[in-house]
Amino acid sequence: MQSCEALHHSGRLEAAEPCYLRVLCGNPALADVWHALGVLFFQTARARDALVAMSRAVLLFPKHALFFSNRAKVLRSLGDSTTARGDLWRGLSIDPG
C-alpha cells in the first residue's frame, strides 16, 4: 500500500491504479485502499468508478469521516446533492472537528 500511495502522491496515477488493484486482489477488505482508489478515479475524471470504490470503503469502515466527505464530493459532481448532503452530515457526526 505504501508504494501505491507513493506513486499516487507523486502524480504517477497510471502506475498507482494497477498497484492499488493488485493490493485489493490480495485483500479486498482494505477500506483505505478502496478509498485511495476512489480518490484516484475521481482525479482522473471517472466519478462513477470513484463512487463505487468509495462506497466500498464506507461499507467496510463506516466510522471514517474522510470517506464520507470525499464520497460527498463525488456525489455532488454527479448531481446528487441530496445524498451528498447526507454523507457530509454522517462525516460530521463521526468527526465534528
Side-chain angles (χ1 to χ4, degrees):
M1 171 68 175
Q2 291 175 337
S3 62
C4 301
E5 288 177 332
L7 291 167
H8 191 165
H9 294 298
S10 69
R12 297 190 53 215
L13 304 181
E14 71 290 340
E17 181 177 344
C19 184
Y20 287 135
L21 293 172
R22 279 192 303 276
V23 170
L24 289 170
C25 281
N27 187 350
L30 295 173
D32 286 341
V33 180
W34 281 108
H35 176 257
L37 183 61
V39 169
L40 184 147
F41 285 149
F42 192 61
Q43 290 173 322
T44 56
R46 293 181 284 171
R48 295 214 179 275
D49 292 333
L51 180 59
V52 170
M54 288 184 184
S55 294
R56 178 70 57 94
V58 165
L59 181 68
L60 290 167
F61 191 65
K63 295 185 179 187
H64 200 307
L66 182 63
F67 293 176
F68 284 102
S69 174
N70 283 342
R71 188 172 70 171
K73 291 177 192 175
V74 173
L75 287 162
R76 188 165 178 243
S77 78
L78 291 169
D80 189 350
S81 296
T82 302
T83 307
R85 192 174 308 114
D87 269 10
L88 287 174
W89 281 112
R90 280 189 215 117
L92 284 170
S93 72
I94 295 166
D95 183 5

